[in-house]
Amino acid sequence: MRVLIQSPPFIGFERENLSWHLRGLWPCKWISGKDLGAAPFAAAYRKTFNIDYRIKIRVHVSADERYVLFLDGQKIGRGSEYGSVDNWYYETYEIFLDKGKHTFVALVWSLGDFAPHAQMSLRHGFIFAPEDSFADDLGTGTSKWEYKKIDGIEFVQPPPGCGTRFWGIGANIKVHADKFPWGFEKGIGDGWEPVASLHAGTNGYYRNGAMPSHLMKPAVLPPMIEKEITSAVVRFVSNIESEDISQIQVNEIDNIVDEAADWSLVGAAKSVTIGPRSSRRIIYDLE
């Protein structure tokens, strides 16, 4: 598997031979879950398929509000770039697939009032739009996709700061390990159901005067830098009595020095276990 990320001038779904009110519509559609409830929440979408030979596909991806895209459990991209409903950006990937079975999974979250101040939204949704004949075989709204709501993720509004909520950075994330569907990014697990189709994808350069929809344009910024952290120094380990640590000071006298080596987990092939009804606060220095 090999992935290239590109930003073309525009996608070739113009359909110029159609009447004016249909121009700019993509063959693929936005999709959503049927019973996701009100934001904030996270949902996963999956597409499992087989191919008979090694191929390269070119695909355009976006979500409202944000997504992380996986192929066979490996993260290959994320987005979408911040924009507005009239300038809704999508990312373009060229993906090389070997012969055999594959699974695309997208984690999509919608935060509503808990979102960063820069995040705009029309409605929750996800679109995966391959070019050429792959639009019918793999695209959202044209082929079978499934979804499930991701339990075990809680979005927590941070406490106020300087008159705002930490300058509009958005919610903190709390993962409840006993409820989280570990391995969802591989498409495994129960609870997957058929998606609901929404409005068609659109070429924002051609489409206007339409009912509320995402007017889509290619992302203009390079992908955000991502790199693996292979080492970190444990600076502080302490017991805590409450999950709310925003007002708890970091005091040297609380540092459990003897446990520091146990928590040196970054880049190490080991784990640590703490007893039931116990809590720890760890501060890592990524240097």
Side-chain angles (χ1 to χ4, degrees):
M1 178 189 70
R2 186 158 57 98
V3 178
L4 302 176
I5 303 176
Q6 297 189 344
S7 293
F10 59 84
I11 171 176
F13 288 156
E14 299 86 356
R15 297 184 172 186
E16 294 184 7
N17 59 325
L18 298 179
S19 57
W20 68 268
H21 66 285
L22 295 178
R23 289 190 64 196
L25 290 181
W26 293 5
C28 300
K29 295 182 179 181
W30 288 77
I31 58 173
S32 180
K34 300 177 182 179
D35 55 356
L36 294 173
F41 61 82
Y45 297 89
R46 77 172 180 184
K47 172 67 180 181
T48 299
F49 60 99
N50 286 279
I51 55 174
D52 298 328
Y53 46 87
R54 191 172 189 269
I55 59 172
K56 179 183 74 172
I57 66 173
R58 192 166 189 254
V59 60
H60 312 279
V61 184
S62 190
D64 187 340
E65 299 163 351
R66 304 276 289 167
Y67 74 85
V68 178
L69 183 65
F70 301 89
L71 173 59
D72 300 331
Q74 180 180 346
K75 182 169 67 174
I76 61 174
R78 62 173 174 166
S80 56
E81 182 182 313
Y82 280 147
S84 66
V85 174
D86 292 335
N87 293 275
W88 197 271
Y89 294 111
Y90 60 86
E91 285 71 39
T92 298
Y93 306 93
E94 287 193 349
I95 304 172
F96 294 81
L97 297 169
D98 291 325
K99 177 182 177 180
K101 183 178 180 179
H102 298 281
T103 301
F104 283 111
V105 172
L107 175 65
V108 180
W109 60 94
S110 294
L111 302 186
D113 292 341
F114 282 40
H117 288 179
Q119 179 67 63
M120 297 186 182
S121 175
L122 175 63
R123 62 176 297 180
H124 173 85
F126 172 70
I127 186 168
F128 184 93
E131 292 190 0
D132 303 321
S133 62
F134 300 112
D136 293 331
D137 297 333
L138 301 178
T140 52
T142 57
S143 67
K144 180 182 177 182
W145 280 73
E146 298 173 302
Y147 84 99
K148 71 174 177 179
K149 190 173 183 178
I150 300 296
D151 295 323
I153 295 182
E154 180 183 358
F155 297 99
V156 182
Q157 193 71 281
C162 293
T164 68
R165 293 191 175 275
F166 283 101
W167 301 280
I169 61 174
N172 291 331
I173 298 175
K174 181 187 296 184
V175 175
H176 299 272
D178 58 335
K179 300 178 181 179
F180 190 81
W182 301 100
F184 81 90
E185 71 279 4
K186 301 176 183 178
I188 63 177
D190 300 327
W192 297 91
E193 300 180 9
V195 301
S197 293
L198 306 176
H199 54 282
T202 61
N203 184 328
Y205 293 107
Y206 283 3
R207 194 73 173 155
N208 58 64
M211 63 181 292
S213 61
H214 301 86
L215 300 182
M216 301 173 66
K217 298 178 181 179
V220 295
L221 298 177
M224 295 185 68
I225 294 174
E226 293 191 44
K227 65 178 181 179
E228 182 178 0
I229 301 297
T230 58
S231 64
V233 179
V234 179
R235 299 297 186 188
F236 183 80
V237 182
S238 71
N239 182 37
I240 58 173
E241 303 297 333
S242 170
E243 292 184 0
D244 182 9
I245 61 173
S246 60
Q247 304 301 319
I248 301 177
Q249 295 182 353
V250 178
N251 293 318
E252 186 63 33
I253 59 175
D254 297 327
N255 196 3
I256 307 176
V257 179
D258 294 342
E259 290 190 16
D262 297 335
W263 289 95
S264 298
L265 304 175
V266 179
K270 66 177 186 177
S271 62
V272 62
T273 302
I274 62 174
R277 293 176 294 279
S278 299
S279 300
R280 288 293 185 270
R281 183 188 196 184
I282 319 297
I283 296 178
Y284 287 97
D285 181 359
L286 301 182
E287 301 186 293

